[in-house]
Amino acid sequence: MKPEQLADYWGLTGVSSSQVPGIPGVGPKAAKEILTQFNDIEEAHASDELAPKYRKKFDVHIESARVCKQVSALKTDIELGFNLQDIRFQA
């Protein structure tokens, strides 16, 4: 699994501490297997090569997985309007 797949991983497994459900029945091991074979949840869902044991779960819960991925994605393009070093604590 690659770092850029983290939001897809959370879209599959969910984030229990944030009440983001993911796809029921897809845990860390299955998510790693899926994301090793495919680049993201969209590619996995579109592929005929997605394992049958995951196909039904994807077909039923793909919209939830998409929302979970979007909610759990880390924003990296936010303009702060100031330099973080300016607010660093100085002892």
Side-chain angles (χ1 to χ4, degrees), residues 35-74:
L35 293 174
T36 298
Q37 184 176 2
F38 303 102
N39 290 321
D40 56 35
I41 58 176
E42 295 302 332
E43 183 180 314
H45 184 246
S47 176
D48 292 334
E49 295 179 21
L50 180 64
K53 62 184 176 182
Y54 304 128
R55 172 56 57 200
K56 184 174 182 181
K57 293 173 185 179
F58 264 71
D59 288 345
V60 173
H61 299 286
I62 189 63
E63 287 304 318
S64 174
R66 288 174 177 144
V67 170
C68 293
K69 175 183 174 177
Q70 184 177 12
V71 167
S72 62
L74 303 174

PDB file of all heavy atoms in Angstrom, residues 35-74:
ATOM      1  N   LEU A  35      -5.947  -2.798  -2.059  1.00  0.00           N
ATOM      2  CA  LEU A  35      -5.143  -1.653  -2.496  1.00  0.00           C
ATOM      3  C   LEU A  35      -3.759  -2.049  -2.991  1.00  0.00           C
ATOM      4  O   LEU A  35      -3.060  -1.244  -3.597  1.00  0.00           O
ATOM      5  CB  LEU A  35      -5.056  -0.611  -1.381  1.00  0.00           C
ATOM      6  CG  LEU A  35      -6.393   0.059  -1.063  1.00  0.00           C
ATOM      7  CD1 LEU A  35      -6.256   0.970   0.145  1.00  0.00           C
ATOM      8  CD2 LEU A  35      -6.937   0.818  -2.266  1.00  0.00           C
ATOM      9  N   THR A  36      -3.371  -3.285  -2.767  1.00  0.00           N
ATOM     10  CA  THR A  36      -2.148  -3.792  -3.380  1.00  0.00           C
ATOM     11  C   THR A  36      -2.423  -4.154  -4.835  1.00  0.00           C
ATOM     12  O   THR A  36      -1.588  -3.959  -5.708  1.00  0.00           O
ATOM     13  CB  THR A  36      -1.628  -5.031  -2.605  1.00  0.00           C
ATOM     14  OG1 THR A  36      -1.319  -4.619  -1.275  1.00  0.00           O
ATOM     15  CG2 THR A  36      -0.392  -5.619  -3.252  1.00  0.00           C
ATOM     16  N   GLN A  37      -3.633  -4.634  -5.080  1.00  0.00           N
ATOM     17  CA  GLN A  37      -4.015  -5.030  -6.441  1.00  0.00           C
ATOM     18  C   GLN A  37      -4.489  -3.839  -7.282  1.00  0.00           C
ATOM     19  O   GLN A  37      -4.268  -3.801  -8.492  1.00  0.00           O
ATOM     20  CB  GLN A  37      -5.123  -6.094  -6.370  1.00  0.00           C
ATOM     21  CG  GLN A  37      -5.527  -6.638  -7.718  1.00  0.00           C
ATOM     22  CD  GLN A  37      -6.569  -7.756  -7.604  1.00  0.00           C
ATOM     23  OE1 GLN A  37      -7.027  -8.101  -6.520  1.00  0.00           O
ATOM     24  NE2 GLN A  37      -6.938  -8.306  -8.742  1.00  0.00           N
ATOM     25  N   PHE A  38      -5.153  -2.877  -6.658  1.00  0.00           N
ATOM     26  CA  PHE A  38      -5.739  -1.736  -7.375  1.00  0.00           C
ATOM     27  C   PHE A  38      -5.218  -0.424  -6.795  1.00  0.00           C
ATOM     28  O   PHE A  38      -4.846  -0.353  -5.631  1.00  0.00           O
ATOM     29  CB  PHE A  38      -7.267  -1.769  -7.265  1.00  0.00           C
ATOM     30  CG  PHE A  38      -7.880  -3.044  -7.768  1.00  0.00           C
ATOM     31  CD1 PHE A  38      -8.301  -4.023  -6.883  1.00  0.00           C
ATOM     32  CD2 PHE A  38      -8.015  -3.285  -9.130  1.00  0.00           C
ATOM     33  CE1 PHE A  38      -8.870  -5.211  -7.334  1.00  0.00           C
ATOM     34  CE2 PHE A  38      -8.573  -4.462  -9.596  1.00  0.00           C
ATOM     35  CZ  PHE A  38      -8.995  -5.432  -8.692  1.00  0.00           C
ATOM     36  N   ASN A  39      -5.249   0.637  -7.603  1.00  0.00           N
ATOM     37  CA  ASN A  39      -4.760   1.944  -7.160  1.00  0.00           C
ATOM     38  C   ASN A  39      -5.691   2.630  -6.177  1.00  0.00           C
ATOM     39  O   ASN A  39      -5.254   3.376  -5.317  1.00  0.00           O
ATOM     40  CB  ASN A  39      -4.530   2.873  -8.356  1.00  0.00           C
ATOM     41  CG  ASN A  39      -3.350   2.433  -9.188  1.00  0.00           C
ATOM     42  OD1 ASN A  39      -2.345   1.994  -8.651  1.00  0.00           O
ATOM     43  ND2 ASN A  39      -3.471   2.543 -10.489  1.00  0.00           N
ATOM     44  N   ASP A  40      -7.005   2.434  -6.341  1.00  0.00           N
ATOM     45  CA  ASP A  40      -7.973   3.096  -5.472  1.00  0.00           C
ATOM     46  C   ASP A  40      -9.299   2.336  -5.491  1.00  0.00           C
ATOM     47  O   ASP A  40      -9.449   1.351  -6.211  1.00  0.00           O
ATOM     48  CB  ASP A  40      -8.176   4.559  -5.882  1.00  0.00           C
ATOM     49  CG  ASP A  40      -8.602   4.730  -7.337  1.00  0.00           C
ATOM     50  OD1 ASP A  40      -9.344   3.884  -7.867  1.00  0.00           O
ATOM     51  OD2 ASP A  40      -8.194   5.738  -7.947  1.00  0.00           O
ATOM     52  N   ILE A  41     -10.267   2.803  -4.719  1.00  0.00           N
ATOM     53  CA  ILE A  41     -11.544   2.089  -4.629  1.00  0.00           C
ATOM     54  C   ILE A  41     -12.329   2.158  -5.940  1.00  0.00           C
ATOM     55  O   ILE A  41     -13.053   1.227  -6.261  1.00  0.00           O
ATOM     56  CB  ILE A  41     -12.403   2.568  -3.437  1.00  0.00           C
ATOM     57  CG1 ILE A  41     -12.695   4.063  -3.497  1.00  0.00           C
ATOM     58  CG2 ILE A  41     -11.751   2.201  -2.123  1.00  0.00           C
ATOM     59  CD1 ILE A  41     -13.609   4.575  -2.396  1.00  0.00           C
ATOM     60  N   GLU A  42     -12.159   3.229  -6.689  1.00  0.00           N
ATOM     61  CA  GLU A  42     -12.872   3.340  -7.965  1.00  0.00           C
ATOM     62  C   GLU A  42     -12.367   2.294  -8.957  1.00  0.00           C
ATOM     63  O   GLU A  42     -13.151   1.662  -9.657  1.00  0.00           O
ATOM     64  CB  GLU A  42     -12.733   4.748  -8.547  1.00  0.00           C
ATOM     65  CG  GLU A  42     -13.377   5.829  -7.715  1.00  0.00           C
ATOM     66  CD  GLU A  42     -14.867   5.639  -7.473  1.00  0.00           C
ATOM     67  OE1 GLU A  42     -15.570   5.017  -8.305  1.00  0.00           O
ATOM     68  OE2 GLU A  42     -15.350   6.116  -6.434  1.00  0.00           O
ATOM     69  N   GLU A  43     -11.053   2.131  -9.029  1.00  0.00           N
ATOM     70  CA  GLU A  43     -10.472   1.138  -9.935  1.00  0.00           C
ATOM     71  C   GLU A  43     -10.889  -0.271  -9.509  1.00  0.00           C
ATOM     72  O   GLU A  43     -11.221  -1.103 -10.350  1.00  0.00           O
ATOM     73  CB  GLU A  43      -8.951   1.258  -9.930  1.00  0.00           C
ATOM     74  CG  GLU A  43      -8.272   0.301 -10.896  1.00  0.00           C
ATOM     75  CD  GLU A  43      -6.762   0.427 -10.871  1.00  0.00           C
ATOM     76  OE1 GLU A  43      -6.251   1.567 -10.894  1.00  0.00           O
ATOM     77  OE2 GLU A  43      -6.088  -0.619 -10.829  1.00  0.00           O
ATOM     78  N   ALA A  44     -10.890  -0.522  -8.217  1.00  0.00           N
ATOM     79  CA  ALA A  44     -11.302  -1.839  -7.712  1.00  0.00           C
ATOM     80  C   ALA A  44     -12.760  -2.111  -8.058  1.00  0.00           C
ATOM     81  O   ALA A  44     -13.108  -3.192  -8.544  1.00  0.00           O
ATOM     82  CB  ALA A  44     -11.096  -1.913  -6.200  1.00  0.00           C
ATOM     83  N   HIS A  45     -13.615  -1.126  -7.843  1.00  0.00           N
ATOM     84  CA  HIS A  45     -15.045  -1.292  -8.117  1.00  0.00           C
ATOM     85  C   HIS A  45     -15.323  -1.521  -9.596  1.00  0.00           C
ATOM     86  O   HIS A  45     -16.200  -2.304  -9.961  1.00  0.00           O
ATOM     87  CB  HIS A  45     -15.819  -0.077  -7.605  1.00  0.00           C
ATOM     88  CG  HIS A  45     -17.290  -0.199  -7.755  1.00  0.00           C
ATOM     89  ND1 HIS A  45     -18.007   0.605  -8.601  1.00  0.00           N
ATOM     90  CD2 HIS A  45     -18.187  -1.034  -7.184  1.00  0.00           C
ATOM     91  CE1 HIS A  45     -19.287   0.269  -8.542  1.00  0.00           C
ATOM     92  NE2 HIS A  45     -19.420  -0.721  -7.684  1.00  0.00           N
ATOM     93  N   ALA A  46     -14.572  -0.861 -10.459  1.00  0.00           N
ATOM     94  CA  ALA A  46     -14.781  -0.968 -11.905  1.00  0.00           C
ATOM     95  C   ALA A  46     -14.203  -2.247 -12.499  1.00  0.00           C
ATOM     96  O   ALA A  46     -14.574  -2.637 -13.609  1.00  0.00           O
ATOM     97  CB  ALA A  46     -14.170   0.247 -12.606  1.00  0.00           C
ATOM     98  N   SER A  47     -13.337  -2.911 -11.764  1.00  0.00           N
ATOM     99  CA  SER A  47     -12.616  -4.059 -12.319  1.00  0.00           C
ATOM    100  C   SER A  47     -13.385  -5.374 -12.194  1.00  0.00           C
ATOM    101  O   SER A  47     -14.006  -5.651 -11.167  1.00  0.00           O
ATOM    102  CB  SER A  47     -11.275  -4.220 -11.605  1.00  0.00           C
ATOM    103  OG  SER A  47     -10.615  -5.371 -12.078  1.00  0.00           O
ATOM    104  N   ASP A  48     -13.303  -6.175 -13.248  1.00  0.00           N
ATOM    105  CA  ASP A  48     -13.861  -7.531 -13.207  1.00  0.00           C
ATOM    106  C   ASP A  48     -12.962  -8.456 -12.389  1.00  0.00           C
ATOM    107  O   ASP A  48     -13.349  -9.577 -12.078  1.00  0.00           O
ATOM    108  CB  ASP A  48     -14.003  -8.096 -14.628  1.00  0.00           C
ATOM    109  CG  ASP A  48     -15.070  -7.362 -15.431  1.00  0.00           C
ATOM    110  OD1 ASP A  48     -15.996  -6.797 -14.814  1.00  0.00           O
ATOM    111  OD2 ASP A  48     -14.955  -7.347 -16.673  1.00  0.00           O
ATOM    112  N   GLU A  49     -11.768  -7.982 -12.063  1.00  0.00           N
ATOM    113  CA  GLU A  49     -10.816  -8.800 -11.316  1.00  0.00           C
ATOM    114  C   GLU A  49     -10.954  -8.660  -9.801  1.00  0.00           C
ATOM    115  O   GLU A  49     -10.221  -9.314  -9.055  1.00  0.00           O
ATOM    116  CB  GLU A  49      -9.392  -8.456 -11.744  1.00  0.00           C
ATOM    117  CG  GLU A  49      -9.109  -8.818 -13.189  1.00  0.00           C
ATOM    118  CD  GLU A  49      -7.695  -8.451 -13.617  1.00  0.00           C
ATOM    119  OE1 GLU A  49      -6.826  -8.297 -12.737  1.00  0.00           O
ATOM    120  OE2 GLU A  49      -7.486  -8.317 -14.829  1.00  0.00           O
ATOM    121  N   LEU A  50     -11.886  -7.825  -9.343  1.00  0.00           N
ATOM    122  CA  LEU A  50     -12.137  -7.724  -7.907  1.00  0.00           C
ATOM    123  C   LEU A  50     -12.664  -9.065  -7.420  1.00  0.00           C
ATOM    124  O   LEU A  50     -13.592  -9.628  -8.011  1.00  0.00           O
ATOM    125  CB  LEU A  50     -13.147  -6.613  -7.603  1.00  0.00           C
ATOM    126  CG  LEU A  50     -13.495  -6.389  -6.133  1.00  0.00           C
ATOM    127  CD1 LEU A  50     -12.269  -5.930  -5.341  1.00  0.00           C
ATOM    128  CD2 LEU A  50     -14.616  -5.359  -6.005  1.00  0.00           C
ATOM    129  N   ALA A  51     -12.062  -9.584  -6.367  1.00  0.00           N
ATOM    130  CA  ALA A  51     -12.432 -10.904  -5.843  1.00  0.00           C
ATOM    131  C   ALA A  51     -13.929 -10.964  -5.544  1.00  0.00           C
ATOM    132  O   ALA A  51     -14.499 -10.002  -5.008  1.00  0.00           O
ATOM    133  CB  ALA A  51     -11.633 -11.204  -4.590  1.00  0.00           C
ATOM    134  N   PRO A  52     -14.571 -12.070  -5.896  1.00  0.00           N
ATOM    135  CA  PRO A  52     -16.020 -12.223  -5.657  1.00  0.00           C
ATOM    136  C   PRO A  52     -16.427 -11.976  -4.204  1.00  0.00           C
ATOM    137  O   PRO A  52     -17.506 -11.448  -3.947  1.00  0.00           O
ATOM    138  CB  PRO A  52     -16.311 -13.660  -6.073  1.00  0.00           C
ATOM    139  CG  PRO A  52     -15.225 -14.008  -7.038  1.00  0.00           C
ATOM    140  CD  PRO A  52     -14.011 -13.236  -6.582  1.00  0.00           C
ATOM    141  N   LYS A  53     -15.558 -12.318  -3.255  1.00  0.00           N
ATOM    142  CA  LYS A  53     -15.900 -12.113  -1.844  1.00  0.00           C
ATOM    143  C   LYS A  53     -16.043 -10.627  -1.492  1.00  0.00           C
ATOM    144  O   LYS A  53     -16.662 -10.278  -0.495  1.00  0.00           O
ATOM    145  CB  LYS A  53     -14.891 -12.802  -0.930  1.00  0.00           C
ATOM    146  CG  LYS A  53     -13.472 -12.282  -1.045  1.00  0.00           C
ATOM    147  CD  LYS A  53     -12.528 -13.097  -0.172  1.00  0.00           C
ATOM    148  CE  LYS A  53     -11.077 -12.662  -0.352  1.00  0.00           C
ATOM    149  NZ  LYS A  53     -10.186 -13.496   0.465  1.00  0.00           N
ATOM    150  N   TYR A  54     -15.466  -9.746  -2.325  1.00  0.00           N
ATOM    151  CA  TYR A  54     -15.590  -8.308  -2.101  1.00  0.00           C
ATOM    152  C   TYR A  54     -16.603  -7.651  -3.035  1.00  0.00           C
ATOM    153  O   TYR A  54     -17.082  -6.560  -2.754  1.00  0.00           O
ATOM    154  CB  TYR A  54     -14.239  -7.607  -2.274  1.00  0.00           C
ATOM    155  CG  TYR A  54     -13.151  -8.161  -1.397  1.00  0.00           C
ATOM    156  CD1 TYR A  54     -11.926  -8.547  -1.931  1.00  0.00           C
ATOM    157  CD2 TYR A  54     -13.341  -8.309  -0.031  1.00  0.00           C
ATOM    158  CE1 TYR A  54     -10.920  -9.055  -1.130  1.00  0.00           C
ATOM    159  CE2 TYR A  54     -12.339  -8.829   0.780  1.00  0.00           C
ATOM    160  CZ  TYR A  54     -11.135  -9.202   0.222  1.00  0.00           C
ATOM    161  OH  TYR A  54     -10.142  -9.719   1.015  1.00  0.00           O
ATOM    162  N   ARG A  55     -16.918  -8.270  -4.142  1.00  0.00           N
ATOM    163  CA  ARG A  55     -17.784  -7.662  -5.161  1.00  0.00           C
ATOM    164  C   ARG A  55     -19.125  -7.215  -4.587  1.00  0.00           C
ATOM    165  O   ARG A  55     -19.551  -6.083  -4.785  1.00  0.00           O
ATOM    166  CB  ARG A  55     -17.985  -8.647  -6.323  1.00  0.00           C
ATOM    167  CG  ARG A  55     -19.011  -8.228  -7.371  1.00  0.00           C
ATOM    168  CD  ARG A  55     -18.786  -6.880  -8.022  1.00  0.00           C
ATOM    169  NE  ARG A  55     -17.475  -6.796  -8.648  1.00  0.00           N
ATOM    170  CZ  ARG A  55     -16.889  -5.641  -8.946  1.00  0.00           C
ATOM    171  NH1 ARG A  55     -17.492  -4.499  -8.721  1.00  0.00           N
ATOM    172  NH2 ARG A  55     -15.704  -5.620  -9.494  1.00  0.00           N
ATOM    173  N   LYS A  56     -19.813  -8.104  -3.880  1.00  0.00           N
ATOM    174  CA  LYS A  56     -21.148  -7.753  -3.365  1.00  0.00           C
ATOM    175  C   LYS A  56     -21.049  -6.612  -2.353  1.00  0.00           C
ATOM    176  O   LYS A  56     -21.866  -5.694  -2.363  1.00  0.00           O
ATOM    177  CB  LYS A  56     -21.819  -8.967  -2.740  1.00  0.00           C
ATOM    178  CG  LYS A  56     -23.225  -8.684  -2.286  1.00  0.00           C
ATOM    179  CD  LYS A  56     -23.944  -9.914  -1.792  1.00  0.00           C
ATOM    180  CE  LYS A  56     -25.364  -9.546  -1.407  1.00  0.00           C
ATOM    181  NZ  LYS A  56     -26.112 -10.677  -0.900  1.00  0.00           N
ATOM    182  N   LYS A  57     -20.036  -6.661  -1.500  1.00  0.00           N
ATOM    183  CA  LYS A  57     -19.854  -5.601  -0.506  1.00  0.00           C
ATOM    184  C   LYS A  57     -19.633  -4.258  -1.193  1.00  0.00           C
ATOM    185  O   LYS A  57     -20.200  -3.243  -0.792  1.00  0.00           O
ATOM    186  CB  LYS A  57     -18.678  -5.930   0.406  1.00  0.00           C
ATOM    187  CG  LYS A  57     -18.926  -7.127   1.294  1.00  0.00           C
ATOM    188  CD  LYS A  57     -17.692  -7.516   2.062  1.00  0.00           C
ATOM    189  CE  LYS A  57     -17.973  -8.796   2.837  1.00  0.00           C
ATOM    190  NZ  LYS A  57     -16.847  -9.265   3.598  1.00  0.00           N
ATOM    191  N   PHE A  58     -18.799  -4.257  -2.232  1.00  0.00           N
ATOM    192  CA  PHE A  58     -18.556  -3.022  -2.994  1.00  0.00           C
ATOM    193  C   PHE A  58     -19.834  -2.540  -3.665  1.00  0.00           C
ATOM    194  O   PHE A  58     -20.154  -1.356  -3.606  1.00  0.00           O
ATOM    195  CB  PHE A  58     -17.479  -3.262  -4.060  1.00  0.00           C
ATOM    196  CG  PHE A  58     -16.092  -2.853  -3.636  1.00  0.00           C
ATOM    197  CD1 PHE A  58     -15.404  -3.585  -2.680  1.00  0.00           C
ATOM    198  CD2 PHE A  58     -15.474  -1.753  -4.197  1.00  0.00           C
ATOM    199  CE1 PHE A  58     -14.116  -3.228  -2.305  1.00  0.00           C
ATOM    200  CE2 PHE A  58     -14.188  -1.381  -3.821  1.00  0.00           C
ATOM    201  CZ  PHE A  58     -13.505  -2.121  -2.862  1.00  0.00           C
ATOM    202  N   ASP A  59     -20.542  -3.454  -4.326  1.00  0.00           N
ATOM    203  CA  ASP A  59     -21.744  -3.055  -5.054  1.00  0.00           C
ATOM    204  C   ASP A  59     -22.789  -2.431  -4.130  1.00  0.00           C
ATOM    205  O   ASP A  59     -23.461  -1.472  -4.500  1.00  0.00           O
ATOM    206  CB  ASP A  59     -22.338  -4.245  -5.805  1.00  0.00           C
ATOM    207  CG  ASP A  59     -21.488  -4.657  -7.005  1.00  0.00           C
ATOM    208  OD1 ASP A  59     -20.613  -3.872  -7.428  1.00  0.00           O
ATOM    209  OD2 ASP A  59     -21.697  -5.781  -7.511  1.00  0.00           O
ATOM    210  N   VAL A  60     -22.905  -2.949  -2.924  1.00  0.00           N
ATOM    211  CA  VAL A  60     -23.904  -2.445  -1.978  1.00  0.00           C
ATOM    212  C   VAL A  60     -23.433  -1.166  -1.281  1.00  0.00           C
ATOM    213  O   VAL A  60     -24.225  -0.266  -1.037  1.00  0.00           O
ATOM    214  CB  VAL A  60     -24.253  -3.536  -0.931  1.00  0.00           C
ATOM    215  CG1 VAL A  60     -25.144  -2.984   0.164  1.00  0.00           C
ATOM    216  CG2 VAL A  60     -24.904  -4.732  -1.607  1.00  0.00           C
ATOM    217  N   HIS A  61     -22.134  -1.079  -0.993  1.00  0.00           N
ATOM    218  CA  HIS A  61     -21.639   0.005  -0.131  1.00  0.00           C
ATOM    219  C   HIS A  61     -20.672   0.971  -0.807  1.00  0.00           C
ATOM    220  O   HIS A  61     -19.993   1.734  -0.117  1.00  0.00           O
ATOM    221  CB  HIS A  61     -20.954  -0.602   1.096  1.00  0.00           C
ATOM    222  CG  HIS A  61     -21.862  -1.429   1.939  1.00  0.00           C
ATOM    223  ND1 HIS A  61     -22.831  -0.891   2.760  1.00  0.00           N
ATOM    224  CD2 HIS A  61     -21.977  -2.775   2.062  1.00  0.00           C
ATOM    225  CE1 HIS A  61     -23.480  -1.861   3.366  1.00  0.00           C
ATOM    226  NE2 HIS A  61     -22.986  -3.023   2.962  1.00  0.00           N
ATOM    227  N   ILE A  62     -20.598   1.002  -2.132  1.00  0.00           N
ATOM    228  CA  ILE A  62     -19.626   1.861  -2.810  1.00  0.00           C
ATOM    229  C   ILE A  62     -19.855   3.345  -2.511  1.00  0.00           C
ATOM    230  O   ILE A  62     -18.898   4.099  -2.333  1.00  0.00           O
ATOM    231  CB  ILE A  62     -19.558   1.596  -4.341  1.00  0.00           C
ATOM    232  CG1 ILE A  62     -18.374   2.356  -4.964  1.00  0.00           C
ATOM    233  CG2 ILE A  62     -20.859   1.950  -5.030  1.00  0.00           C
ATOM    234  CD1 ILE A  62     -17.014   1.941  -4.485  1.00  0.00           C
ATOM    235  N   GLU A  63     -21.094   3.776  -2.424  1.00  0.00           N
ATOM    236  CA  GLU A  63     -21.361   5.191  -2.141  1.00  0.00           C
ATOM    237  C   GLU A  63     -20.879   5.557  -0.743  1.00  0.00           C
ATOM    238  O   GLU A  63     -20.302   6.622  -0.539  1.00  0.00           O
ATOM    239  CB  GLU A  63     -22.843   5.530  -2.313  1.00  0.00           C
ATOM    240  CG  GLU A  63     -23.290   5.586  -3.758  1.00  0.00           C
ATOM    241  CD  GLU A  63     -22.470   6.568  -4.603  1.00  0.00           C
ATOM    242  OE1 GLU A  63     -22.165   7.692  -4.137  1.00  0.00           O
ATOM    243  OE2 GLU A  63     -22.115   6.210  -5.744  1.00  0.00           O
ATOM    244  N   SER A  64     -21.087   4.679   0.203  1.00  0.00           N
ATOM    245  CA  SER A  64     -20.600   4.906   1.561  1.00  0.00           C
ATOM    246  C   SER A  64     -19.074   4.981   1.565  1.00  0.00           C
ATOM    247  O   SER A  64     -18.486   5.842   2.230  1.00  0.00           O
ATOM    248  CB  SER A  64     -21.071   3.788   2.485  1.00  0.00           C
ATOM    249  OG  SER A  64     -20.503   3.925   3.764  1.00  0.00           O
ATOM    250  N   ALA A  65     -18.423   4.097   0.826  1.00  0.00           N
ATOM    251  CA  ALA A  65     -16.962   4.098   0.745  1.00  0.00           C
ATOM    252  C   ALA A  65     -16.457   5.405   0.133  1.00  0.00           C
ATOM    253  O   ALA A  65     -15.463   5.965   0.597  1.00  0.00           O
ATOM    254  CB  ALA A  65     -16.470   2.911  -0.074  1.00  0.00           C
ATOM    255  N   ARG A  66     -17.153   5.905  -0.868  1.00  0.00           N
ATOM    256  CA  ARG A  66     -16.753   7.171  -1.495  1.00  0.00           C
ATOM    257  C   ARG A  66     -16.857   8.327  -0.510  1.00  0.00           C
ATOM    258  O   ARG A  66     -15.970   9.185  -0.435  1.00  0.00           O
ATOM    259  CB  ARG A  66     -17.615   7.442  -2.722  1.00  0.00           C
ATOM    260  CG  ARG A  66     -17.305   6.557  -3.893  1.00  0.00           C
ATOM    261  CD  ARG A  66     -18.284   6.765  -5.026  1.00  0.00           C
ATOM    262  NE  ARG A  66     -17.928   5.945  -6.170  1.00  0.00           N
ATOM    263  CZ  ARG A  66     -18.815   5.376  -6.975  1.00  0.00           C
ATOM    264  NH1 ARG A  66     -20.115   5.554  -6.787  1.00  0.00           N
ATOM    265  NH2 ARG A  66     -18.407   4.646  -7.992  1.00  0.00           N
ATOM    266  N   VAL A  67     -17.950   8.358   0.235  1.00  0.00           N
ATOM    267  CA  VAL A  67     -18.144   9.425   1.225  1.00  0.00           C
ATOM    268  C   VAL A  67     -17.105   9.307   2.324  1.00  0.00           C
ATOM    269  O   VAL A  67     -16.508  10.306   2.742  1.00  0.00           O
ATOM    270  CB  VAL A  67     -19.577   9.388   1.795  1.00  0.00           C
ATOM    271  CG1 VAL A  67     -19.716  10.313   2.993  1.00  0.00           C
ATOM    272  CG2 VAL A  67     -20.591   9.750   0.727  1.00  0.00           C
ATOM    273  N   CYS A  68     -16.857   8.086   2.796  1.00  0.00           N
ATOM    274  CA  CYS A  68     -15.862   7.869   3.842  1.00  0.00           C
ATOM    275  C   CYS A  68     -14.480   8.297   3.378  1.00  0.00           C
ATOM    276  O   CYS A  68     -13.721   8.898   4.141  1.00  0.00           O
ATOM    277  CB  CYS A  68     -15.829   6.396   4.253  1.00  0.00           C
ATOM    278  SG  CYS A  68     -17.343   5.867   5.071  1.00  0.00           S
ATOM    279  N   LYS A  69     -14.154   8.003   2.140  1.00  0.00           N
ATOM    280  CA  LYS A  69     -12.854   8.411   1.589  1.00  0.00           C
ATOM    281  C   LYS A  69     -12.750   9.938   1.573  1.00  0.00           C
ATOM    282  O   LYS A  69     -11.737  10.499   1.976  1.00  0.00           O
ATOM    283  CB  LYS A  69     -12.689   7.858   0.168  1.00  0.00           C
ATOM    284  CG  LYS A  69     -11.425   8.327  -0.515  1.00  0.00           C
ATOM    285  CD  LYS A  69     -11.313   7.820  -1.934  1.00  0.00           C
ATOM    286  CE  LYS A  69     -10.113   8.415  -2.649  1.00  0.00           C
ATOM    287  NZ  LYS A  69      -9.941   7.892  -4.001  1.00  0.00           N
ATOM    288  N   GLN A  70     -13.804  10.596   1.127  1.00  0.00           N
ATOM    289  CA  GLN A  70     -13.791  12.052   1.034  1.00  0.00           C
ATOM    290  C   GLN A  70     -13.694  12.692   2.423  1.00  0.00           C
ATOM    291  O   GLN A  70     -12.929  13.631   2.629  1.00  0.00           O
ATOM    292  CB  GLN A  70     -15.053  12.542   0.324  1.00  0.00           C
ATOM    293  CG  GLN A  70     -15.086  14.025   0.092  1.00  0.00           C
ATOM    294  CD  GLN A  70     -16.329  14.457  -0.670  1.00  0.00           C
ATOM    295  OE1 GLN A  70     -17.273  13.702  -0.841  1.00  0.00           O
ATOM    296  NE2 GLN A  70     -16.313  15.684  -1.123  1.00  0.00           N
ATOM    297  N   VAL A  71     -14.443  12.158   3.380  1.00  0.00           N
ATOM    298  CA  VAL A  71     -14.449  12.701   4.733  1.00  0.00           C
ATOM    299  C   VAL A  71     -13.094  12.506   5.415  1.00  0.00           C
ATOM    300  O   VAL A  71     -12.627  13.372   6.143  1.00  0.00           O
ATOM    301  CB  VAL A  71     -15.574  12.046   5.569  1.00  0.00           C
ATOM    302  CG1 VAL A  71     -15.422  12.339   7.051  1.00  0.00           C
ATOM    303  CG2 VAL A  71     -16.931  12.504   5.071  1.00  0.00           C
ATOM    304  N   SER A  72     -12.455  11.381   5.161  1.00  0.00           N
ATOM    305  CA  SER A  72     -11.203  11.073   5.851  1.00  0.00           C
ATOM    306  C   SER A  72      -9.958  11.563   5.125  1.00  0.00           C
ATOM    307  O   SER A  72      -8.853  11.457   5.653  1.00  0.00           O
ATOM    308  CB  SER A  72     -11.094   9.567   6.101  1.00  0.00           C
ATOM    309  OG  SER A  72     -11.076   8.859   4.886  1.00  0.00           O
ATOM    310  N   ALA A  73     -10.114  12.119   3.931  1.00  0.00           N
ATOM    311  CA  ALA A  73      -8.954  12.612   3.172  1.00  0.00           C
ATOM    312  C   ALA A  73      -8.327  13.806   3.880  1.00  0.00           C
ATOM    313  O   ALA A  73      -9.017  14.673   4.409  1.00  0.00           O
ATOM    314  CB  ALA A  73      -9.379  13.006   1.757  1.00  0.00           C
ATOM    315  N   LEU A  74      -7.019  13.825   3.893  1.00  0.00           N
ATOM    316  CA  LEU A  74      -6.299  14.937   4.506  1.00  0.00           C
ATOM    317  C   LEU A  74      -6.194  16.088   3.512  1.00  0.00           C
ATOM    318  O   LEU A  74      -5.802  15.891   2.368  1.00  0.00           O
ATOM    319  CB  LEU A  74      -4.900  14.477   4.919  1.00  0.00           C
ATOM    320  CG  LEU A  74      -4.859  13.280   5.865  1.00  0.00           C
ATOM    321  CD1 LEU A  74      -3.417  12.838   6.070  1.00  0.00           C
ATOM    322  CD2 LEU A  74      -5.511  13.615   7.186  1.00  0.00           C
TER     323      LEU A  74
END
